[in-house]
Amino acid sequence: MGLFESDKIRVIGLTGQSGAGKSTVSGIFSEEGFPTINADEISHAVSSYQSFLEEVSLLFPECVSENGLDRRKLAGIVFCNGEKLKTYTDIIFPYISREIFRKIESFRLSGESLVLLDAPTLFESGLDDICSSVVSVIAPMELKIQRVLERDGIPVEMVESRLGSQKSDDMFISKSQFTIVNNADIESLRIKTISVIDELRRLYL
């Protein structure tokens, strides 16, 4: 049971591998009327908080300057080292979670009964515990590499390192109530997503 069910709002978690097409799926949910909380946007917002920058500067001083957080430099460090990645996420996850809880409460007070939480690190942050259902988006490795290269414009070695640090297909499948395999075109992805949305509405509305 999701944490917020007793308050007459249910949180649907959306997660997936980098390059799998999660953002496209999130957009389809929004088009279908789901209010959406984007954890990546929240992450960018909290990374400018002074208290957060002070914490990061103690452990990753080379990644913080008077201009704020150097995300590219930070990514080059943490995505190549699991221990450093955990150190960083231990700092930022509490900031993200607090903002997510505030947004959920705001949606609850406005009378919403279903809200989508779009979070790439849903499981790692423990936020799946507040979700009534979790939807994961996965895709073949070669397609993920191609999409990230086109999207981020970073060296292929960095893409492979980033994708190599992610959880496996089996992990996403085993921890999700719904899995969308994005291995074809956008229309196929839309059909699969609409099918999941219909089932979620049948379950919770």
Side-chain angles (χ1 to χ4, degrees):
M1 175 179 286
L3 179 64
F4 290 91
E5 288 185 13
S6 61
D7 292 325
K8 299 182 179 178
I9 187 168
R10 294 178 187 264
V11 179
I12 306 302
L14 175 64
T15 191
Q17 304 155 330
S18 182
K22 177 183 61 64
S23 295
T24 302
V25 170
S26 180
I28 296 169
F29 267 86
S30 294
E31 290 168 8
E32 290 297 308
F34 271 72
T36 300
I37 299 169
N38 188 305
D40 268 347
E41 291 178 359
I42 291 174
S43 174
H44 278 269
V46 303
S47 67
S48 65
Y49 291 3
Q50 187 60 35
S51 57
F52 167 77
L53 290 171
E54 289 172 358
E55 288 190 56
V56 174
S57 66
L58 292 175
L59 296 169
F60 302 99
E62 67 274 36
C63 298
V64 179
S65 69
E66 59 184 16
N67 296 320
L69 185 68
D70 188 329
R71 293 184 179 86
R72 184 176 288 266
K73 185 177 290 186
L74 180 69
I77 294 172
V78 301
F79 286 122
C80 298
N81 186 305
E83 185 176 332
K84 289 182 179 179
L85 177 60
K86 185 179 185 305
T87 297
Y88 177 71
T89 56
D90 283 347
I91 297 172
I92 196 168
F93 281 162
Y95 285 90
I96 295 173
S97 295
R98 282 193 291 270
E99 294 301 320
I100 286 172
F101 293 153
R102 289 192 187 104
K103 287 182 178 292
I104 293 171
E105 176 65 5
S106 176
F107 281 128
R108 187 187 70 82
L109 291 173
S110 68
E112 298 289 352
S113 55
L114 277 177
V115 59
L116 184 74
L117 172 56
D118 176 350
T121 54
L122 185 76
F123 299 125
E124 294 87 339
S125 63
L127 286 167
D128 56 311
D129 287 344
I130 71 172
C131 298
S132 297
S133 284
V134 172
V135 181
S136 284
V137 187
I138 62 176
M141 180 60 77
E142 61 271 18
L143 289 179
K144 290 185 292 186
I145 291 173
Q146 178 184 336
R147 290 166 183 158
V148 175
L149 283 172
E150 292 172 354
R151 182 189 70 197
D152 296 349
I154 58 178
V156 65
E157 294 81 6
M158 186 176 291
V159 173
E160 291 173 345
S161 175
R162 180 181 301 180
L163 294 179
S165 71
Q166 295 188 130
K167 305 298 183 184
S168 67
D169 288 1
D170 288 343
M171 189 284 294
F172 282 101
I173 293 168
S174 67
K175 299 190 72 171
S176 305
Q177 284 68 48
F178 301 91
T179 304
I180 297 172
V181 182
N182 182 15
N183 58 357
D185 57 20
I186 183 65
E187 187 56 32
S188 172
L189 180 61
R190 179 176 296 278
I191 290 170
K192 292 175 181 178
T193 302
I194 296 296
S195 176
V196 170
I197 289 171
D198 288 344
E199 180 64 15
L200 288 168
R201 285 179 169 148
R202 187 190 69 77
L203 286 170
Y204 300 126
L205 292 181

Coordinates of all heavy atoms in Angstrom, one line a residue, residues 58-129:
L58 N 31.8 19.9 0.7 CA 32.7 19.2 1.7 C 33.2 17.9 1.1 O 34.3 17.5 1.5 CB 31.9 18.9 3.0 CG 31.5 20.1 3.8 CD1 30.6 19.7 4.9 CD2 32.7 20.9 4.3
L59 N 32.5 17.2 0.3 CA 32.9 15.9 -0.2 C 33.3 15.9 -1.7 O 34.1 15.0 -2.1 CB 31.7 14.9 0.0 CG 31.3 14.6 1.4 CD1 30.0 13.9 1.5 CD2 32.4 13.8 2.1
F60 N 32.8 16.8 -2.4 CA 33.2 17.0 -3.8 C 33.6 18.4 -4.1 O 32.9 19.1 -4.9 CB 32.1 16.5 -4.8 CG 31.6 15.1 -4.5 CD1 30.5 14.8 -3.8 CD2 32.3 14.0 -5.1 CE1 30.1 13.5 -3.5 CE2 31.9 12.7 -4.9 CZ 30.8 12.5 -4.1
P61 N 34.6 18.9 -3.5 CA 34.9 20.4 -3.6 C 35.2 20.8 -5.1 O 34.9 22.0 -5.4 CB 36.2 20.5 -2.7 CG 36.7 19.2 -2.6 CD 35.6 18.2 -2.7
E62 N 35.7 19.9 -5.9 CA 36.0 20.3 -7.3 C 34.8 20.5 -8.1 O 34.8 21.0 -9.3 CB 36.9 19.2 -7.9 CG 36.2 17.9 -8.1 CD 36.3 16.9 -6.9 OE1 36.2 17.4 -5.8 OE2 36.4 15.7 -7.1
C63 N 33.6 20.1 -7.6 CA 32.3 20.2 -8.4 C 31.5 21.4 -8.0 O 30.4 21.5 -8.5 CB 31.5 18.9 -8.2 SG 32.4 17.4 -8.7
V64 N 32.0 22.2 -7.1 CA 31.2 23.4 -6.6 C 32.1 24.6 -6.8 O 33.2 24.6 -6.3 CB 30.7 23.2 -5.2 CG1 29.9 24.5 -4.7 CG2 29.8 22.0 -5.0
S65 N 31.5 25.6 -7.4 CA 32.2 26.9 -7.5 C 31.3 28.0 -7.3 O 30.1 27.8 -6.9 CB 32.8 27.0 -9.0 OG 31.7 27.2 -9.9
E66 N 31.7 29.2 -7.5 CA 30.8 30.4 -7.3 C 29.6 30.4 -8.3 O 28.6 31.0 -8.0 CB 31.6 31.7 -7.4 CG 32.3 31.8 -8.8 CD 33.1 33.1 -8.9 OE1 33.5 33.7 -7.8 OE2 33.4 33.5 -10.0
N67 N 29.8 29.6 -9.3 CA 28.7 29.5 -10.3 C 27.7 28.3 -10.0 O 26.8 28.1 -10.7 CB 29.3 29.2 -11.7 CG 30.1 30.3 -12.2 OD1 29.7 31.5 -12.0 ND2 31.2 30.0 -12.8
G68 N 28.0 27.7 -8.9 CA 27.1 26.6 -8.4 C 27.7 25.2 -8.7 O 28.9 25.0 -8.7
L69 N 26.8 24.3 -8.9 CA 27.2 22.9 -9.1 C 27.6 22.6 -10.6 O 26.8 22.9 -11.5 CB 26.0 21.9 -8.7 CG 26.3 20.4 -8.7 CD1 27.3 20.0 -7.6 CD2 25.0 19.7 -8.6
D70 N 28.7 22.0 -10.8 CA 29.2 21.6 -12.1 C 28.7 20.2 -12.3 O 29.3 19.2 -11.9 CB 30.7 21.7 -12.2 CG 31.2 21.4 -13.6 OD1 30.6 20.7 -14.3 OD2 32.3 22.0 -14.0
R71 N 27.5 20.1 -12.9 CA 26.9 18.7 -13.1 C 27.7 17.8 -14.0 O 27.7 16.6 -13.7 CB 25.4 18.9 -13.6 CG 24.5 19.6 -12.7 CD 23.1 19.6 -13.2 NE 22.2 20.3 -12.3 CZ 22.0 21.6 -12.2 NH1 22.6 22.4 -13.0 NH2 21.1 22.1 -11.3
R72 N 28.3 18.3 -15.0 CA 29.0 17.5 -15.9 C 30.3 16.9 -15.2 O 30.5 15.7 -15.4 CB 29.5 18.3 -17.2 CG 30.2 17.4 -18.2 CD 30.5 18.3 -19.4 NE 29.3 18.6 -20.2 CZ 28.9 17.8 -21.2 NH1 29.6 16.8 -21.6 NH2 27.8 18.2 -21.9
K73 N 30.9 17.7 -14.5 CA 32.1 17.2 -13.7 C 31.7 16.2 -12.7 O 32.3 15.2 -12.5 CB 32.9 18.4 -13.1 CG 34.2 18.0 -12.4 CD 34.9 19.2 -11.8 CE 35.4 20.1 -12.9 NZ 36.3 21.2 -12.4
L74 N 30.6 16.5 -12.0 CA 30.1 15.6 -11.0 C 29.7 14.2 -11.6 O 30.0 13.2 -11.0 CB 28.9 16.2 -10.3 CG 28.2 15.3 -9.2 CD1 29.1 15.3 -7.9 CD2 26.9 15.9 -8.7
A75 N 29.0 14.3 -12.7 CA 28.6 13.0 -13.4 C 29.8 12.2 -13.8 O 29.8 11.0 -13.6 CB 27.8 13.3 -14.6
G76 N 30.9 12.9 -14.2 CA 32.1 12.1 -14.6 C 32.8 11.4 -13.4 O 33.5 10.5 -13.6
I77 N 32.5 11.9 -12.2 CA 33.0 11.3 -11.0 C 32.1 10.2 -10.5 O 32.6 9.1 -10.3 CB 33.3 12.4 -9.9 CG1 34.3 13.4 -10.3 CG2 33.6 11.7 -8.6 CD1 34.5 14.5 -9.4
V78 N 30.9 10.5 -10.3 CA 30.0 9.6 -9.6 C 29.5 8.4 -10.4 O 29.3 7.3 -9.9 CB 28.8 10.3 -8.9 CG1 29.2 11.3 -8.0 CG2 27.9 10.9 -10.0
F79 N 29.4 8.6 -11.7 CA 28.9 7.5 -12.5 C 30.0 6.4 -12.8 O 29.7 5.4 -13.4 CB 28.3 8.0 -13.9 CG 27.0 8.6 -13.7 CD1 26.7 9.9 -14.1 CD2 25.9 7.9 -13.1 CE1 25.5 10.5 -13.9 CE2 24.7 8.5 -12.9 CZ 24.4 9.8 -13.3
C80 N 31.2 6.7 -12.4 CA 32.3 5.8 -12.6 C 32.7 5.1 -11.3 O 33.6 4.3 -11.3 CB 33.5 6.5 -13.2 SG 33.3 7.2 -14.8
N81 N 32.0 5.5 -10.2 CA 32.4 4.9 -8.9 C 31.1 4.8 -8.1 O 30.5 5.8 -7.7 CB 33.4 5.9 -8.3 CG 33.9 5.4 -6.9 OD1 33.2 5.0 -6.0 ND2 35.2 5.3 -6.8
G82 N 30.7 3.5 -7.8 CA 29.5 3.3 -7.1 C 29.5 3.8 -5.7 O 28.4 4.3 -5.2
E83 N 30.6 3.8 -5.0 CA 30.7 4.4 -3.7 C 30.5 5.9 -3.7 O 29.8 6.4 -2.8 CB 32.1 4.0 -3.0 CG 32.2 4.4 -1.6 CD 33.5 3.9 -1.0 OE1 34.0 2.9 -1.4 OE2 34.0 4.6 0.0
K84 N 31.1 6.6 -4.6 CA 30.9 8.0 -4.7 C 29.5 8.4 -5.1 O 29.0 9.4 -4.7 CB 32.0 8.6 -5.6 CG 33.4 8.6 -5.1 CD 34.4 9.2 -6.0 CE 35.8 9.2 -5.4 NZ 36.8 9.8 -6.3
L85 N 28.9 7.6 -6.0 CA 27.6 7.8 -6.4 C 26.6 7.7 -5.2 O 25.8 8.6 -5.0 CB 27.1 6.8 -7.4 CG 25.7 6.9 -7.9 CD1 25.4 8.2 -8.5 CD2 25.3 5.8 -8.9
K86 N 26.8 6.7 -4.3 CA 26.0 6.6 -3.1 C 26.2 7.8 -2.2 O 25.3 8.3 -1.5 CB 26.3 5.3 -2.4 CG 25.4 5.1 -1.2 CD 25.7 3.8 -0.5 CE 24.6 3.5 0.6 NZ 24.5 4.6 1.6
T87 N 27.5 8.2 -2.0 CA 27.8 9.4 -1.2 C 27.0 10.6 -1.7 O 26.4 11.3 -0.8 CB 29.3 9.7 -1.2 OG1 30.0 8.6 -0.7 CG2 29.6 10.9 -0.4
Y88 N 27.0 10.8 -3.0 CA 26.2 11.9 -3.5 C 24.7 11.8 -3.3 O 24.0 12.7 -2.9 CB 26.6 12.1 -5.0 CG 25.8 13.3 -5.6 CD1 26.1 14.6 -5.2 CD2 24.7 13.0 -6.5 CE1 25.3 15.6 -5.8 CE2 24.0 14.1 -7.0 CZ 24.3 15.4 -6.7 OH 23.6 16.4 -7.2
T89 N 24.2 10.6 -3.6 CA 22.8 10.4 -3.5 C 22.3 10.5 -2.1 O 21.2 11.0 -1.8 CB 22.3 9.1 -4.1 OG1 23.0 8.0 -3.5 CG2 22.5 9.1 -5.6
D90 N 23.1 10.1 -1.1 CA 22.8 10.2 0.3 C 22.6 11.7 0.7 O 21.9 12.0 1.6 CB 23.9 9.6 1.2 CG 23.8 8.1 1.2 OD1 22.8 7.5 0.8 OD2 24.8 7.5 1.7
I91 N 23.3 12.6 -0.1 CA 23.2 14.0 0.2 C 21.9 14.6 -0.4 O 21.1 15.3 0.2 CB 24.4 14.8 -0.3 CG1 25.7 14.4 0.4 CG2 24.1 16.3 -0.2 CD1 26.9 15.0 -0.3
I92 N 21.7 14.2 -1.7 CA 20.6 14.9 -2.5 C 19.2 14.3 -2.3 O 18.2 15.0 -2.3 CB 20.9 15.0 -4.0 CG1 20.0 16.0 -4.6 CG2 20.8 13.6 -4.6 CD1 20.4 16.4 -6.0
F93 N 19.1 13.0 -2.0 CA 17.8 12.3 -1.9 C 16.9 13.0 -0.9 O 15.7 13.2 -1.1 CB 17.9 10.8 -1.7 CG 18.3 10.0 -2.9 CD1 18.8 8.8 -2.8 CD2 18.1 10.6 -4.2 CE1 19.1 8.0 -3.9 CE2 18.4 9.8 -5.3 CZ 18.9 8.5 -5.2
P94 N 17.4 13.3 0.3 CA 16.5 13.9 1.3 C 15.9 15.2 0.8 O 14.7 15.6 1.1 CB 17.4 14.1 2.6 CG 18.4 13.0 2.4 CD 18.7 13.0 0.9
Y95 N 16.7 16.0 0.1 CA 16.2 17.3 -0.4 C 15.1 17.1 -1.4 O 14.1 17.7 -1.4 CB 17.3 18.1 -1.1 CG 18.3 18.7 -0.1 CD1 19.5 18.1 0.3 CD2 18.1 20.0 0.3 CE1 20.4 18.6 1.2 CE2 19.0 20.6 1.2 CZ 20.1 19.9 1.6 OH 21.0 20.5 2.5
I96 N 15.3 16.1 -2.3 CA 14.3 15.8 -3.3 C 13.1 15.3 -2.7 O 12.0 15.7 -3.1 CB 14.9 14.8 -4.3 CG1 16.1 15.3 -5.1 CG2 13.8 14.3 -5.3 CD1 16.8 14.4 -6.0
S97 N 13.2 14.4 -1.8 CA 12.0 13.7 -1.1 C 11.2 14.8 -0.4 O 9.9 14.7 -0.6 CB 12.5 12.7 -0.1 OG 13.1 11.6 -0.8
R98 N 11.8 15.7 0.2 CA 11.0 16.8 0.9 C 10.1 17.6 -0.1 O 9.0 17.9 0.2 CB 11.9 17.7 1.7 CG 12.3 17.1 3.1 CD 13.0 18.1 3.9 NE 14.3 18.6 3.4 CZ 15.4 18.0 3.7 NH1 15.5 17.0 4.5 NH2 16.6 18.5 3.3
E99 N 10.7 17.9 -1.2 CA 10.0 18.7 -2.2 C 8.9 17.8 -2.8 O 7.8 18.4 -3.1 CB 10.9 19.2 -3.3 CG 12.0 20.2 -2.8 CD 11.3 21.4 -2.2 OE1 10.2 21.9 -2.8 OE2 11.8 22.0 -1.2
I100 N 9.1 16.6 -3.0 CA 8.1 15.7 -3.6 C 6.9 15.6 -2.7 O 5.8 15.6 -3.1 CB 8.7 14.3 -3.9 CG1 9.6 14.4 -5.2 CG2 7.6 13.2 -4.1 CD1 10.4 13.1 -5.4
F101 N 7.2 15.4 -1.4 CA 6.1 15.3 -0.4 C 5.3 16.6 -0.4 O 4.0 16.5 -0.3 CB 6.6 15.0 1.0 CG 7.3 13.7 1.2 CD1 8.3 13.5 2.1 CD2 6.9 12.6 0.4 CE1 8.9 12.2 2.3 CE2 7.5 11.4 0.5 CZ 8.5 11.2 1.5
R102 N 5.9 17.7 -0.5 CA 5.2 19.0 -0.6 C 4.3 19.0 -1.8 O 3.1 19.5 -1.7 CB 6.1 20.2 -0.6 CG 6.9 20.4 0.7 CD 7.6 21.7 0.7 NE 8.5 21.9 1.9 CZ 9.8 21.8 1.9 NH1 10.4 21.5 0.7 NH2 10.5 21.9 3.0
K103 N 4.8 18.6 -2.9 CA 4.0 18.6 -4.1 C 2.8 17.7 -4.1 O 1.7 18.0 -4.5 CB 4.8 18.3 -5.4 CG 5.8 19.5 -5.7 CD 6.6 19.2 -6.9 CE 7.5 20.4 -7.3 NZ 6.7 21.5 -7.8
I104 N 3.0 16.5 -3.5 CA 1.9 15.5 -3.4 C 0.8 16.1 -2.5 O -0.4 16.0 -2.8 CB 2.5 14.2 -2.8 CG1 3.4 13.5 -3.8 CG2 1.3 13.3 -2.4 CD1 4.1 12.3 -3.2
E105 N 1.2 16.7 -1.4 CA 0.3 17.3 -0.5 C -0.5 18.4 -1.2 O -1.7 18.5 -1.0 CB 1.0 17.8 0.8 CG 0.1 18.6 1.8 CD -0.9 17.7 2.4 OE1 -0.9 16.4 2.2 OE2 -1.8 18.2 3.2
S106 N 0.2 19.2 -2.0 CA -0.5 20.2 -2.7 C -1.6 19.7 -3.7 O -2.7 20.2 -3.8 CB 0.5 21.1 -3.5 OG -0.1 22.0 -4.3
F107 N -1.2 18.6 -4.4 CA -2.2 17.9 -5.3 C -3.3 17.3 -4.5 O -4.5 17.4 -4.9 CB -1.5 16.8 -6.1 CG -0.7 17.3 -7.3 CD1 0.6 17.0 -7.5 CD2 -1.3 18.2 -8.2 CE1 1.4 17.4 -8.6 CE2 -0.6 18.6 -9.3 CZ 0.8 18.3 -9.5
R108 N -3.0 16.8 -3.3 CA -4.1 16.2 -2.5 C -5.1 17.2 -2.1 O -6.3 17.1 -2.1 CB -3.5 15.5 -1.3 CG -4.5 14.7 -0.4 CD -3.9 14.2 0.9 NE -3.6 15.3 1.8 CZ -4.5 15.8 2.6 NH1 -5.8 15.4 2.6 NH2 -4.2 16.8 3.4
L109 N -4.6 18.4 -1.6 CA -5.4 19.5 -1.2 C -6.3 20.0 -2.3 O -7.4 20.6 -2.1 CB -4.6 20.6 -0.5 CG -3.9 20.2 0.8 CD1 -3.0 21.3 1.3 CD2 -5.0 19.9 1.9
S110 N -5.8 19.9 -3.5 CA -6.5 20.4 -4.7 C -7.5 19.4 -5.2 O -8.2 19.7 -6.2 CB -5.6 20.9 -5.8 OG -4.9 19.7 -6.4
G111 N -7.6 18.2 -4.6 CA -8.6 17.3 -4.9 C -8.2 16.2 -5.9 O -9.1 15.4 -6.4
E112 N -6.9 16.1 -6.3 CA -6.5 15.1 -7.2 C -6.5 13.7 -6.5 O -6.2 13.6 -5.3 CB -5.1 15.4 -7.7 CG -4.9 16.7 -8.5 CD -5.6 16.6 -9.8 OE1 -6.0 15.5 -10.3 OE2 -5.7 17.7 -10.5
S113 N -6.8 12.7 -7.3 CA -6.9 11.3 -6.7 C -5.7 10.5 -7.2 O -5.4 9.4 -6.6 CB -8.2 10.7 -7.0 OG -8.5 10.7 -8.4
L114 N -5.1 10.8 -8.3 CA -4.0 10.1 -8.9 C -2.9 11.1 -9.3 O -3.2 12.1 -10.0 CB -4.4 9.3 -10.1 CG -5.0 7.9 -10.0 CD1 -5.4 7.4 -11.3 CD2 -4.1 7.0 -9.2
V115 N -1.7 10.8 -9.0 CA -0.6 11.7 -9.4 C 0.6 10.8 -9.9 O 0.8 9.7 -9.3 CB -0.1 12.6 -8.3 CG1 0.3 11.8 -7.0 CG2 1.0 13.6 -8.7
L116 N 1.3 11.2 -10.9 CA 2.4 10.5 -11.4 C 3.7 11.1 -10.9 O 3.9 12.3 -10.9 CB 2.5 10.6 -13.0 CG 3.6 9.7 -13.6 CD1 3.2 8.3 -13.6 CD2 3.8 10.2 -15.1
L117 N 4.5 10.2 -10.3 CA 5.9 10.6 -9.8 C 6.9 10.0 -10.8 O 7.2 8.8 -10.8 CB 6.1 10.0 -8.4 CG 7.5 10.2 -7.9 CD1 7.9 11.7 -7.9 CD2 7.6 9.6 -6.5
D118 N 7.4 10.9 -11.6 CA 8.4 10.6 -12.6 C 9.8 10.7 -12.0 O 10.3 11.8 -11.8 CB 8.3 11.5 -13.8 CG 9.3 11.3 -14.9 OD1 10.3 10.6 -14.7 OD2 9.2 11.9 -16.0
A119 N 10.4 9.5 -11.7 CA 11.7 9.5 -10.9 C 12.6 8.5 -11.4 O 12.4 7.3 -11.2 CB 11.4 9.3 -9.4
P120 N 13.7 8.9 -12.0 CA 14.7 7.9 -12.5 C 15.3 7.0 -11.4 O 15.7 5.9 -11.7 CB 15.7 8.7 -13.3 CG 15.6 10.1 -12.7 CD 14.1 10.2 -12.4
T121 N 15.4 7.6 -10.2 CA 16.0 6.8 -9.1 C 14.9 6.5 -8.1 O 15.2 6.6 -6.9 CB 17.2 7.6 -8.5 OG1 16.7 8.9 -8.1 CG2 18.3 7.8 -9.4
L122 N 13.8 6.1 -8.6 CA 12.7 5.8 -7.7 C 13.0 4.7 -6.6 O 12.7 4.9 -5.4 CB 11.5 5.3 -8.5 CG 10.2 5.1 -7.8 CD1 9.5 6.4 -7.4 CD2 9.2 4.2 -8.6
F123 N 13.6 3.6 -7.1 CA 13.9 2.5 -6.2 C 15.1 2.9 -5.3 O 15.1 2.6 -4.1 CB 14.3 1.3 -7.0 CG 13.1 0.8 -7.8 CD1 13.3 0.6 -9.2 CD2 11.9 0.5 -7.3 CE1 12.3 0.1 -10.0 CE2 10.8 0.0 -8.0 CZ 11.0 -0.2 -9.4
E124 N 16.1 3.5 -5.8 CA 17.3 3.8 -5.1 C 17.0 4.8 -3.9 O 17.6 4.7 -2.8 CB 18.4 4.5 -6.0 CG 19.0 3.5 -7.0 CD 18.2 3.5 -8.3 OE1 17.0 3.9 -8.3 OE2 18.7 3.0 -9.3
S125 N 16.1 5.7 -4.1 CA 15.7 6.7 -3.1 C 14.7 6.2 -2.1 O 14.4 6.8 -1.1 CB 15.1 7.9 -3.8 OG 13.9 7.6 -4.5
G126 N 14.1 5.0 -2.4 CA 13.1 4.5 -1.5 C 11.7 5.0 -1.7 O 10.8 4.7 -1.0
L127 N 11.6 5.9 -2.8 CA 10.3 6.5 -3.0 C 9.2 5.6 -3.6 O 8.1 5.9 -3.6 CB 10.5 7.7 -4.0 CG 11.1 9.0 -3.3 CD1 11.6 10.0 -4.4 CD2 10.2 9.6 -2.3
D128 N 9.7 4.4 -4.0 CA 8.7 3.4 -4.4 C 7.8 3.0 -3.3 O 6.7 2.5 -3.5 CB 9.4 2.2 -5.0 CG 10.4 1.5 -4.1 OD1 11.2 2.2 -3.5 OD2 10.3 0.3 -3.9
D129 N 8.2 3.2 -2.1 CA 7.4 2.9 -0.9 C 6.1 3.7 -0.8 O 5.2 3.3 -0.1 CB 8.2 3.0 0.4 CG 9.3 2.0 0.6 OD1 9.2 0.9 -0.1 OD2 10.2 2.2 1.4

